[in-house]
Amino acid sequence: MRPEFRDSFLPFLHPGERLILAMGYFGNTALPSVPPELRTPSTPPPPSALEERVRGALGGVLGRVTRPLDAMGNSRLVNNRFTRAADRASDRVENAAIDLEHVADRTTERAIWGTVMDGGWQSMAGRFLVNLTNAGGEPGRQALTDRRLIVLVDHNTSWRDTTPQWAVGAAVPRPNIARVTAHPKTVSRGRFDVAFVDGSWIALGSAVRQHMEAFVAAFNQGV
């Protein structure tokens, strides 16, 4: 396994836990969105001292530029009810376009890969996706240990320092996993399906087919 993959998981291993395989995580856009009532509010990380100084400097410059615009914004033309209605309509159109784009992505993925999850939100597969979503950040790496399957998320949002800030997004004890199988339509990317002991399952994946095959083989060999 690549050293950077291995090293990202070492801080999260339990005492005596052995890392077997670590690789990149490739999210499947066909996975369903977690319902709003199951999501926990996310708190953005505080900005660094440098970002605060840069924003302060930019804020002063932008404030001088935008004061004339603020004056215009207070005019009757901008604040009349027709303009406000047009703004609201524009927001709805933009949000609808974003939603349609997500639907199109999911439709395309389903056409290629078929079903990507089975089980309700209270199933093991459902709770896995809920936990991964509520962890925030961007899922980026996954690993198999002698005890667990782990997915890490990157919480770094800095535009200057791109060093990943890894955290555990979802972790499943191996006894809760019934089987791990390669998807039959896998060609270049590596989708594999994780089935849980309650009968539910979810599709995970890697950008590299060979990494996925090694992951599936390691689990099935009981390594």
Side-chain angles (χ1 to χ4, degrees), residues 17-201:
E17 188 173 16
R18 180 169 57 92
L19 182 64
I20 296 170
L21 187 64
M23 64 183 188
Y25 172 89
F26 192 93
N28 194 315
T29 58
L31 287 171
S33 296
V34 173
E37 61 271 18
L38 296 179
R39 297 189 186 186
T40 56
S42 59
T43 303
S48 66
L50 175 61
E51 288 173 324
E52 287 282 16
R53 290 198 298 271
V54 172
R55 288 176 182 175
L58 289 176
V61 174
L62 293 176
R64 291 192 294 273
V65 172
T66 57
R67 272 194 289 271
L69 297 179
D70 290 338
M72 291 178 59
N74 291 327
S75 69
R76 285 180 297 175
L77 174 63
V78 174
N79 285 317
N80 70 63
R81 59 191 179 92
F82 297 107
T83 304
R84 292 196 300 271
D87 288 341
R88 289 194 296 271
S90 175
D91 290 341
R92 286 196 295 269
V93 170
E94 181 179 358
N95 291 337
I98 293 173
D99 290 341
L100 286 174
E101 183 179 358
H102 291 167
V103 169
D105 287 342
R106 290 194 181 96
T107 301
T108 300
E109 288 283 353
R110 288 194 185 104
I112 297 173
W113 299 105
T115 305
V116 294
M117 178 177 163
D118 187 36
W121 292 112
Q122 298 306 317
S123 70
M124 289 182 175
R127 292 199 299 272
F128 180 92
L129 187 54
V130 169
N131 290 341
L132 189 59
T133 300
N134 287 337
E138 184 68 23
R141 293 183 181 173
Q142 56 196 334
L144 183 67
T145 77
D146 59 341
R147 303 178 188 176
R148 297 180 293 166
L149 184 156
I150 310 170
V151 178
L152 298 185
V153 294
D154 181 9
H155 282 163
N156 185 13
T157 59
S158 172
W159 52 268
R160 188 175 186 276
D161 182 3
T162 58
T163 303
Q165 297 176 2
W166 297 114
V168 174
V172 182
R174 285 184 63 158
N176 289 352
I177 301 175
R179 61 186 179 277
V180 176
T181 55
H183 193 272
K185 290 186 178 181
T186 293
V187 179
S188 58
R189 290 190 320 210
R191 167 179 163 176
F192 60 99
D193 299 335
V194 178
F196 299 94
V197 293
D198 66 347
S200 64
W201 61 269

Side-chain angles (χ1 to χ4, degrees), residues 23 26 188-190 206-213:
M23 64 183 188
F26 192 93
S188 58
R189 290 190 320 210
S206 168
V208 180
R209 177 180 177 178
Q210 288 76 11
H211 293 176
M212 174 276 295
E213 291 173 340

